[in-house]
Amino acid sequence: MLAPLTMRLWVILASLSLVCLATADPVDNTAPEDRSSTPTLRILELIKVSRETTPDDQTPRDHNVKIVLDEHAFIVGVTLWTLNFLVNGDNVLSSLDALTETDGLQREFVFKTELPEGITAVLVAAKGKSGNVLATGTVYVQIPANFVGSLAWVGEEYHPSSLSSLRVDPGILSEVWVGNRVCRRERSPCYFLQKELPDVVSRCLTLTDTLTNAPVVLCDETVAPFQELYPTPSLYITDDHLLEVSMSLPQDVALGREVVAYDPRDPSVVFSPEGFLCDPSGVGDRGESECSQRLVMSEATDVLSVLVVLEYPGGRLESKLLTYGGQEPRASQTGVIVGSVVGGLLGVILIAAAVFFLLRWRNKKERKEGSSISNSSHYTATPTSDPVVA
């Protein structure tokens, strides 16, 4: 009983210091009767939301934090909202300017900060023009690491109007729903290939306030953007359906390699085994790292889509979508097909030209022979037609 009691006492003391720090004001002009009626805000949800970035944006933060409050009494004169995180005893402060015309019933706010690991308490405060505290809300929770897994666009950039592919790792959740489809933890990672997908996939976990036992919903709505894999891997498929992948990898970095081979005409037909792992198989002649995967198919297919995904430490992904036709990559195969068509047309043209000159030479010869016969004899040339080109 001593250890839990000591921990609870520490949480109480830490939270009190957080409240004092957030509400401290060198000049508090709030009247005692008004201070006693300061409304209390109840935090219902903490949500990681995506933030838009530009090529010139050097901020490493990939998300913002959205706070959802319960319905509360009208707050008059709020000009500033602050968000405080207590992380391992340290205070992390973020603020959000509010217009003087802001509705005092506002419940949702997006702060330009990140949700760090190790949070033990969260405080939201509404302040007036002079910095006086108008309302506060506090919640005490332990946010676990990798609490809702990770989602990432793979193969190509996400576009709402086109088909995209999504990799889903549920983390500690039992399942994640993407539209009307589900990814279960025991069968993850999951790939949703070339489907119309929502741009927001919310994954939520219900926590409990350690002081009040009130439920607090923790959500993640972020999806990692597409990161293209360079240089392009090379592919080869043996007669017994062994897919071999060769690529250049950074030295001394432990990387996860996943390969998803499927039918581009019907992406629901997947030939890769469950788990999608590509087993390391050595180093190639040019120093490239090689891995292989036994495809589950009864016979060869004329064309195959192959999604290659690298997972770096920390969960960052790089991917490349390739097309393989027959026993050689599609680019080479296309060159062969185009070359065959051009060669066939050239052959037909040469044959037609030879026939044309042969007929012309024959007609000239016959006319020459006809001129040596008597003037009463006349030669009539037989009409000819051009050869038919199939």
Side-chain angles (χ1 to χ4, degrees), residues 84-345:
N84 293 70
F85 294 135
L86 187 65
V87 183
N88 299 323
D90 296 327
N91 183 61
V92 180
L93 174 64
S94 173
S95 61
L96 181 65
D97 290 332
L99 300 176
T100 54
E101 298 86 5
T102 298
D103 190 341
L105 296 176
Q106 187 171 352
R107 297 178 51 208
E108 297 185 2
F109 313 88
V110 177
F111 290 87
K112 296 179 180 179
T113 186
E114 63 183 355
L115 193 66
E117 295 182 3
I119 293 177
T120 54
V122 180
L123 171 69
V124 173
K127 295 186 177 182
K129 187 175 182 180
S130 62
N132 53 311
V133 177
L134 304 176
T136 61
T138 310
V139 64
Y140 308 98
V141 291
Q142 297 283 341
I143 297 182
N146 191 27
F147 63 95
V148 285
S150 61
L151 272 65
W153 299 115
V154 291
E156 61 182 356
E157 295 279 1
Y158 168 77
H159 296 286
S161 60
S162 65
L163 299 178
S164 302
S165 295
L166 183 70
R167 181 186 184 273
V168 179
D169 176 6
I172 64 175
L173 295 179
S174 60
E175 61 185 26
V176 170
W177 283 88
V178 181
N180 59 353
R181 298 177 180 271
V182 64
C183 174
R184 293 187 171 83
R185 183 174 54 197
E186 62 270 15
R187 301 195 64 180
S188 65
C190 304
Y191 284 89
F192 295 81
L193 302 169
Q194 297 185 357
K195 296 182 179 298
E196 294 183 2
L197 300 170
D199 57 349
V200 175
V201 179
S202 186
R203 297 92 68 199
C204 298
L205 182 69
T206 300
L207 305 177
T208 301
D209 189 314
T210 56
L211 293 183
T212 65
N213 292 325
V216 181
V217 178
L218 180 66
C219 296
D220 191 342
E221 295 182 351
T222 63
V223 180
F226 166 71
Q227 298 288 334
E228 189 165 5
L229 172 62
Y230 288 108
T232 300
S234 58
L235 308 174
Y236 182 74
I237 301 179
T238 63
D239 292 337
D240 58 349
H241 313 313
L242 182 68
L243 172 60
E244 298 176 346
V245 183
S246 178
M247 68 188 91
S248 297
L249 299 179
Q251 299 294 326
D252 303 324
V253 178
L255 299 174
R257 286 178 278 191
E258 297 172 2
V259 174
V260 187
Y262 61 94
D263 187 343
R265 294 158 296 199
D266 183 3
S268 65
V269 179
V270 177
F271 302 110
S272 294
E274 187 174 344
F276 312 111
L277 295 180
C278 191
D279 299 320
S281 55
V283 179
D285 298 336
R286 294 178 294 179
E288 294 183 323
S289 178
E290 297 181 341
C291 67
S292 61
Q293 183 185 89
R294 183 72 63 182
L295 301 181
V296 183
M297 57 172 54
S298 58
E299 58 184 16
T301 180
D302 59 338
V303 63
L304 195 69
S305 288
V306 180
L307 176 62
V308 181
V309 179
L310 287 185
E311 183 177 13
Y312 285 78
R316 182 173 67 88
L317 301 178
E318 291 182 355
S319 61
K320 190 82 171 184
L321 180 60
L322 305 172
T323 301
Y324 191 94
Q327 293 301 311
E328 295 185 8
R330 187 179 179 184
S332 301
Q333 191 83 338
T334 302
V336 171
I337 294 173
V338 171
S340 300
V341 172
V342 172
L345 291 176

